[in-house]
Amino acid sequence: MATALITEIQQAQTRLPPLTRADRGSPYHSRELKTHRREVLANVPAERCVWIDKLIGSVSSTISEIADMQDAEVNRVLNEFEKLIATLDDISHAEKRSKTIH
């Protein structure tokens, strides 16, 4: 799932100028972040996940503002979003590797 989302982010970066307002907001759907939060951080105590819960809320409430940004700003946000998803994906893979070692 992370690979598909990262691919979507990268495609948005390469096609940024002609993207519609709705297309500019699509990579940030909070549903994707909620899924990553649930899959990657499921075993982490809730008090240690406040940062991502706040991020999900912030992204959800600012998608329209992000979509209205200038191309350079949108690209910067996409870059940071891609890093976040890649980090969550790395955490997920690290947990899976550590669970299989006995």
Side-chain angles (χ1 to χ4, degrees):
M1 178 178 192
T3 305
L5 186 54
I6 288 173
T7 300
E8 182 181 348
I9 292 166
Q10 291 169 341
Q11 288 173 347
Q13 289 172 309
T14 60
R15 298 179 296 132
L16 197 56
L19 290 180
T20 66
R21 188 173 183 281
D23 289 336
R24 285 176 177 237
S26 73
Y28 313 102
H29 291 298
S30 62
R31 172 179 36 87
E32 309 291 351
L33 283 175
K34 287 178 185 175
T35 300
H36 277 295
R37 190 244 190 266
R38 187 174 50 252
E39 290 176 357
V40 176
L41 303 172
N43 298 322
V44 178
E47 65 271 8
R48 292 189 55 210
C49 296
V50 172
W51 64 274
I52 195 161
D53 292 335
K54 285 183 178 180
L55 176 66
I56 290 168
S58 177
V59 168
S60 296
S61 66
T62 58
I63 288 175
S64 62
E65 293 173 32
I66 293 169
D68 289 336
M69 291 177 174
Q70 298 294 319
D71 290 353
E73 293 172 304
V74 173
N75 200 25
R76 192 168 50 242
V77 172
L78 285 168
N79 284 329
E80 293 304 316
F81 195 60
E82 181 180 359
K83 290 177 196 176
L84 171 66
I85 299 303
T87 300
L88 289 172
D89 193 46
D90 288 345
I91 291 168
S92 174
H93 290 287
E95 285 182 1
K96 289 176 185 170
R97 281 192 301 272
S98 67
K99 288 179 183 177
T100 57
I101 298 173
H102 296 283

